[in-house]
Amino acid sequence: MSDKPDLIYPGILKECRAHTAEGRAESRAFLAWFLEHYYRLEEVVAQDCVCDGPDDKGIDGIYVDENLERVDVLQARLIQNPFKTIGDSPLRELAGTLAQFESPATVEHLVATTGNVELKNRLMSEDVAGKIQNGYEVRGGFVTNVRADDNARRFVVGNRRLTVFDAEYLAEGYVSVGPSQPIANEAHFDVSGFEVIEYQTPAAKVLVAPLLALELVSLKGIRSGDLFDWNVRQSLGRTKVNKAIAKSVKDQAEHKNFLLYHNGLTILTKQLEHKGDRIVLSGYSVVNGCQSITSLFENRDTISRDLRLLGRLIQLPPNSELAARITRHSNNQNSISARDLQSNHLIQRRLQNEISETYPHVFYEIKRGERQTGSVVLTNEDAARILLAFDVKQPWSCHQSYKLFDALYTAIFGRPEVTAHRLVALQQAHIAVLDVLPKIKPEIMAKYRLLQFTLLYFLRMALETDTKGRTFCQRPSEFISEPDGAARLRESFRRVLEDLVIDLNAEVEERESAGNPLDYKRELKSPQSVRNLQRTIITSYQKAVTRGRATGFGHEWMASKDK
């Protein structure tokens, strides 16, 4: 199975280092890490959920789950003493905090009275008052790195609106970051009163049977995702699963009809036996139906014994070639990500071949899990974000992964200028951006992933003020093809970006002094706000170049030739 996280302080800080920054409490970094690994949110979304700053009214984070129609109010507490436990006292405080979400009116009062800008904007941007008006459930989640004691567990049992994510939960439910083995524990399914179809192919033994949902949600590895590790698309995180399934699960009168609504699931298993009214399997992995099981697990408190899913159980090693083909074919019948759909698109295959031939040290990954052949990897997802920020000039959309290979796909990739030269050249610009991020203040803003694509957009606009820069934007092949072209581009971009960062830091400091701080979590997603910020930064940069306090791209490019 996968390695478990180090939950003991200060080791837990190493786990959370991607979210640790000056100006952010350690417990908030811990919460962002939790949301990324256990709620399986993308990095930007996880950071958006966290409410940094004082006067938070007992609220460390808010996550709105559109699929489950639920508002999660979160608190996090990092404990330095590993022998300490969490009792019911902080849980009672969290229960009191939930009173602020009893109605739309109490939420609106919270918005009006809190001095925490991030909390206020989170409540408004997610329209939490409106969600509650429309019937969304409000639940409290308490996240901690130590064990909850018996008092805490009894309190949670008596208060169904609360969930404790303690050390035991975190250890069991850690999301795998690499391949794991099939689940070794035996699983038992009661099929009394139902017919089980059994047949043998030349390569595998197969059982088809209606499986109890109550037994499916008790399978090991659902929280961590290890149960689905052999699925070609993994568990897809907390994306929108079928709302109809969630509603059917909540309506117990519909449970007897669930078999009629659901296509079923596929489980590969090393050992499979049918003994009377029971099916026993071990060494198993779910390769199709992952989203359904996840949705059932989220609603397990409402599952009755009437709810069954049709299961196809195949005795076959999950890592065999036949298992891989079964996985591919069974998933082809269901919804897959836009990136998966476009992975075989002519544009993507052409770019992969072109980069391989022109820049053999760079591997252009167009499918998850591809065998890498180069020393440098550029995924088409990263390429899409880079092109979207630099070429299409929409950095505010770079966090919306679902658009990259769907609504924005043609604008991003469907252009004659998108060649191997352009992608590899712009990759150098992105690397230069990453190099200057540590110079941005405050550090907490520098850790916000969307900022790197905003800087890439600023770099594009700065290049357009320079003759050589405009040439690069039009014909990057002339630069990347030069001797040491990649290294020279990185250095030239870095020099320009350092000047832009000076102006950005000055703008942030000026706004802070004026009492109008930059709300980067909100403003970097706003086209108008980013354009306004860009005009301010580029105007300052141009003045600095004119006065000789900064140098343009053309100067830096020519100077790099002599080094």
Side-chain angles (χ1 to χ4, degrees):
M1 306 300 288
S2 59
D3 293 335
K4 300 303 179 185
D6 182 1
L7 299 175
I8 298 176
Y9 191 94
I12 185 63
L13 298 181
K14 294 181 180 178
E15 304 284 349
C16 308
R17 59 182 174 273
H19 299 285
T20 302
E22 183 180 352
R24 168 173 286 158
E26 291 177 347
S27 61
R28 306 295 173 86
F30 173 52
L31 178 58
W33 170 81
F34 167 82
L35 290 168
E36 189 175 3
H37 286 274
Y38 296 85
Y39 273 38
R40 306 182 193 182
L41 305 183
E42 292 194 35
E43 183 181 346
V44 169
V45 179
Q47 292 178 344
D48 285 346
C49 292
V50 176
C51 304
D52 290 302
D55 194 29
D56 58 23
K57 307 295 184 182
I59 301 161
D60 293 340
I62 295 175
Y63 174 67
V64 177
D65 193 317
E66 301 281 355
N67 172 52
L68 300 179
E69 297 187 348
R70 191 175 77 196
V71 177
D72 288 352
V73 179
L74 303 163
Q75 288 184 355
R77 186 166 300 180
L78 264 182
I79 305 298
Q80 297 188 19
N81 183 351
F83 301 105
K84 185 178 176 60
T85 58
I86 288 292
D88 60 356
S89 179
L91 300 181
R92 293 181 186 278
E93 293 175 8
L94 177 56
T97 297
L98 295 186
Q100 300 171 102
F101 295 83
E102 286 298 325
S103 68
T106 59
V107 175
E108 289 167 358
H109 177 74
L110 177 58
V111 171
T113 57
T114 181
N116 187 299
V117 174
E118 293 198 1
L119 173 59
K120 182 193 296 286
N121 288 335
R122 184 72 180 161
L123 293 168
M124 295 172 62
S125 65
E126 291 294 327
D127 187 23
V128 172
K131 295 288 196 307
I132 293 173
Q133 179 70 46
N134 291 330
Y136 274 51
E137 178 187 12
V138 177
R139 294 180 64 90
F142 188 86
V143 188
T144 183
N145 63 319
V146 298
R147 189 179 62 83
D149 68 14
D150 291 341
N151 291 330
R153 296 184 189 282
R154 281 193 293 269
F155 186 78
V156 170
V157 169
N159 192 327
R160 307 297 289 180
R161 298 177 69 192
L162 297 183
T163 302
V164 175
F165 304 104
D166 68 347
E168 291 183 6
Y169 178 97
L170 300 182
E172 177 189 349
Y174 186 65
V175 177
S176 304
V177 295
S180 66
Q181 296 299 313
I183 305 299
N185 306 65
E186 278 194 354
H188 297 255
F189 293 99
D190 180 3
V191 289
S192 56
F194 291 87
E195 182 179 355
V196 176
I197 301 173
E198 181 173 346
Y199 58 93
Q200 182 76 44
T201 72
K205 174 183 175 180
V206 183
L207 297 181
V208 179
L211 306 178
L212 269 172
L214 284 169
E215 293 174 331
L216 284 169
V217 298
S218 67
L219 294 175
K220 298 291 184 182
I222 296 177
R223 277 200 188 108
S224 66
D226 288 337
L227 179 61
F228 318 114
D229 200 63
W230 293 90
N231 189 306
V232 293
R233 294 175 293 150
Q234 301 299 319
S235 62
L236 301 183
R238 292 175 66 90
T239 55
K240 284 189 177 181
V241 296
N242 194 325
K243 282 192 175 183
I245 292 178
K247 289 182 179 178
S248 297
V249 175
K250 292 177 181 177
D251 184 358
Q252 292 192 339
E254 287 285 275
H255 288 187
K256 61 182 179 296
N257 297 321
F258 203 82
L259 276 170
L260 307 177
Y261 303 149
H262 192 270
N263 291 333
L265 51 89
T266 302
I267 302 177
L268 301 185
T269 180
K270 291 181 177 179
Q271 299 295 326
L272 176 63
E273 291 184 87
H274 180 202
K275 301 177 178 178
D277 291 336
R278 300 198 71 76
I279 293 175
V280 182
L281 58 155
S282 63
Y284 52 88
S285 180
V286 173
V287 298
N288 183 252
C290 150
Q291 291 295 87
S292 299
I293 291 182
T294 301
S295 186
L296 288 169
F297 184 79
E298 293 281 3
N299 294 277
R300 57 192 179 279
D301 292 341
T302 62
I303 294 176
S304 72
R305 291 190 63 84
D306 290 331
L307 203 161
R308 289 179 179 263
L309 281 76
L310 192 64
R312 183 170 54 142
L313 313 175
I314 305 173
Q315 183 172 298
L316 196 67
N319 58 348
S320 67
E321 175 56 32
L322 178 57
R325 293 202 301 270
I326 291 171
T327 302
R328 286 195 298 270
H329 287 301
S330 60
N331 277 281
N332 282 342
Q333 301 169 27
N334 297 282
S335 173
I336 59 178
S337 74
R339 185 188 178 199
D340 290 325
L341 283 171
Q342 299 291 7
S343 63
N344 285 321
H345 192 272
L346 177 62
I347 290 176
Q348 295 302 311
R349 288 190 283 114
R350 175 181 59 79
L351 285 172
Q352 188 179 59
N353 291 335
E354 187 180 9
I355 289 177
S356 176
E357 293 174 2
T358 314
Y359 302 95
H361 69 288
V362 179
F363 178 72
Y364 184 63
E365 181 192 284
I366 62 176
K367 295 180 182 180
R368 287 171 285 183
E370 278 187 303
R371 184 178 179 182
Q372 299 171 359
T373 58
S375 58
V376 177
V377 177
L378 174 62
T379 70
N380 61 350
E381 194 166 14
D382 283 344
R385 289 190 171 96
I386 292 169
L387 290 169
L388 183 59
F390 192 91
D391 278 5
V392 187
K393 302 179 183 178
Q394 291 187 25
W396 46 82
S397 298
C398 286
H399 66 294
Q400 298 173 315
S401 300
Y402 64 95
K403 287 185 177 181
L404 300 179
F405 294 89
D406 192 357
L408 295 172
Y409 181 74
T410 300
I412 293 171
F413 287 106
R415 299 175 286 122
E417 61 267 30
V418 180
T419 64
H421 297 305
R422 190 170 202 86
L423 289 182
V424 175
L426 292 185
Q427 185 184 30
Q428 311 314 309
H430 186 232
I431 293 171
V433 167
L434 298 179
D435 286 343
V436 302
L437 283 179
K439 298 180 181 294
I440 291 177
K441 303 298 179 185
E443 183 186 359
I444 192 172
M445 184 174 77
K447 287 289 186 80
Y448 193 61
R449 190 163 184 242
L450 198 57
L451 179 65
Q452 62 187 255
F453 301 105
T454 306
L455 281 177
L456 201 56
Y457 168 61
F458 290 173
L459 175 63
R460 168 62 188 258
M461 303 310 291
L463 293 181
E464 290 187 359
T465 66
D466 179 273
T467 302
K468 276 285 186 184
R470 288 193 295 272
T471 302
F472 171 84
C473 295
Q474 295 167 2
R475 298 184 299 278
S477 59
E478 296 181 9
F479 296 79
I480 193 69
S481 300
E482 286 274 325
D484 297 323
R488 290 176 60 196
L489 280 173
R490 282 198 306 275
E491 177 64 16
S492 301
F493 292 145
R494 186 179 64 80
R495 295 283 189 176
V496 174
L497 284 162
E498 285 175 342
D499 289 324
L500 295 176
V501 166
I502 291 173
D503 293 323
L504 176 60
N505 286 342
E507 175 66 12
V508 170
E509 185 176 348
E510 184 177 325
R511 286 185 54 170
E512 186 75 33
S513 300
N516 177 34
L518 178 67
D519 181 10
Y520 59 90
K521 290 183 181 179
R522 179 179 61 86
E523 293 187 46
L524 295 187
K525 297 190 187 77
S526 164
Q528 190 58 52
S529 295
V530 173
R531 290 190 184 108
N532 290 342
L533 187 59
Q534 175 266 131
R535 281 192 285 269
T536 300
I537 300 303
I538 298 303
T539 298
S540 296
Y541 168 74
Q542 285 182 284
K543 289 179 179 178
V545 171
T546 300
R547 294 167 182 168
R549 292 202 294 264
T551 53
F553 172 78
H555 173 86
E556 295 296 344
W557 173 255
M558 297 308 297
S560 69
K561 188 175 183 179
D562 300 327
K563 291 182 180 180

